[in-house]
Amino acid sequence: MNWPNRVLMVTPEYFDVEYAINPHMRDAQGNLNTIDKEAAQKQWQDLKNTFEKLGKEVVTLQGQAGLPDMVFCANQTFPYLKEGKMHWVLSQMHSPERQPEVAFFKEWATKNDIPTYDGMPTHFEGMGDALWNYETRQIFAGYGFRTSPEVYATIEEQTGQKVTTFELKDERFYHLDTCLSILKGDCAAFVEEAFTPEGLATLKQSFSTLIPIPLSEATEQLACNMCTPNGKDVILQKGASKTVQSLQAQGFNVIEVETSEFIKSGGSVFCMKMLLWD
């Protein structure tokens, strides 16, 4: 399986924090976070530019009024290859506030000749919880907060690939993409506190190199919500100095970006994009 060569992003004009469906969306006083819309637009544009500088074509889907979290476009679909052509499994979002987002992705897929499957039996939140190892063709998948474990039999059936599952135990890491980042075939970054003992044992069996992310950087900078689009370059929220050092020690080229406005809603680099094949 090749690394995807395109990136889908959803435009951020309607991004905001209008409700709280994860612990990151409220401030220390319990109030909903306030978004600086101008800063958010700049941060989104800078991330788009970063993917383009790395040689990836960025395609965009228009954000929609009343759907402030649609910008986190890792969640609504799960892309896979079938007979050399990209297909999408459509998500069944856990939160009622986000459920209408999926229809816009289905419409976009239809316009772009992408076959879709929308028969998930219960809650599933796309690549928020189901992660590809693009080099080994394995799928690593989380459940417990947003996605139900029952869905992964369907994912195996649709993709023809094995799914390795992890129970998530800390609500701060409500999606697998907040506590596990697959960097290349034999290397991943992880947040130890997010996994059960059984999950940690599975990770150690699955990867020859595991990079631990400090809990403070995983919560404050969402450091594990990093993205590598090619197995060499890693993009993450700036300021996670220990994580940066650990990545560089493994030979990765680290690119720090600013996603602080999006972190106020519980997402960073990985959440803000979907990698696509042609």
Side-chain angles (χ1 to χ4, degrees):
M1 179 181 288
N2 297 324
W3 284 83
N5 55 1
R6 294 191 296 160
V7 179
L8 173 66
M9 296 180 69
V10 170
T11 59
E13 60 266 42
Y14 297 108
F15 170 64
D16 206 347
V17 177
E18 298 178 358
Y19 46 75
I21 56 173
N22 69 63
H24 303 278
M25 301 177 91
R26 295 187 185 274
D27 62 21
Q29 290 71 45
N31 300 312
L32 292 176
N33 288 323
T34 301
I35 300 300
D36 182 330
K37 297 292 189 67
E38 185 175 344
Q41 176 65 50
K42 182 181 186 305
Q43 291 173 11
W44 184 91
Q45 186 63 52
D46 288 347
L47 179 58
K48 179 176 181 287
N49 293 345
T50 299
F51 282 118
E52 291 172 339
K53 288 176 183 176
L54 293 174
K56 300 297 182 183
E57 177 192 0
V58 178
V59 294
T60 58
L61 174 59
Q62 191 76 24
Q64 298 293 320
L67 298 176
D69 279 337
M70 188 172 162
V71 71
F72 297 122
C73 57
N75 304 149
Q76 302 87 350
T77 68
F78 181 75
Y80 64 101
L81 291 175
K82 186 174 183 179
E83 299 177 351
K85 181 177 177 62
M86 182 172 65
H87 292 59
W88 282 2
V89 172
L90 298 174
S91 297
Q92 187 179 139
M93 306 296 284
H94 182 273
S95 303
E97 295 90 344
R98 298 199 63 187
Q99 289 171 1
E101 298 170 9
V102 178
F104 294 98
F105 286 81
K106 183 176 183 178
E107 179 183 19
W108 191 89
T110 300
K111 290 180 179 178
N112 287 275
D113 191 31
I114 300 170
T116 59
Y117 174 82
D118 61 0
M120 298 307 283
T122 184
H123 297 135
F124 171 64
E125 296 209 349
M127 287 198 72
D129 273 324
L131 310 179
W132 275 110
N133 185 326
Y134 294 110
E135 296 181 11
T136 67
R137 307 185 81 171
Q138 291 173 283
I139 300 168
F140 292 81
Y143 66 90
F145 293 105
R146 299 292 186 83
T147 295
S148 299
E150 296 83 3
V151 302
Y152 292 120
T154 303
I155 293 294
E156 287 187 337
E157 180 181 342
Q158 291 299 311
T159 65
Q161 302 298 328
K162 181 178 183 295
V163 177
T164 300
T165 60
F166 300 88
E167 180 181 6
L168 302 178
K169 67 171 190 173
D170 186 324
E171 66 176 355
R172 293 171 296 182
F173 306 104
Y174 55 91
H175 275 151
L176 187 63
D177 69 7
T178 64
C179 54
L180 179 66
S181 180
I182 300 170
L183 300 170
K184 56 184 180 179
D186 60 353
C187 179
F190 76 112
V191 182
E192 181 175 358
E193 291 82 358
F195 293 92
T196 64
E198 295 79 9
L200 291 172
T202 300
L203 284 176
K204 291 173 183 177
Q205 294 167 1
S206 301
F207 297 95
S208 59
T209 301
L210 283 172
I211 301 172
I213 306 298
L215 182 61
S216 60
E217 294 184 357
T219 54
E220 294 168 19
Q221 284 91 26
L222 288 188
C224 208
N225 197 241
M226 65 183 82
C227 173
T228 175
N230 53 22
K232 300 175 292 185
D233 301 291
V234 179
I235 311 166
L236 80 167
Q237 165 65 24
K238 72 177 184 180
S241 57
K242 292 181 180 178
T243 300
V244 170
Q245 291 171 6
S246 296
L247 290 167
Q248 290 174 335
Q250 293 296 326
F252 292 101
N253 176 48
V254 179
I255 303 167
E256 296 184 78
V257 297
E258 186 60 75
T259 62
S260 56
E261 294 304 309
F262 297 91
I263 288 175
K264 293 177 182 178
S265 192
S268 186
V269 177
F270 192 95
C271 290
M272 295 169 65
K273 62 89 202 76
M274 176 61 75
L275 299 181
L276 304 177
W277 294 278
D278 278 334

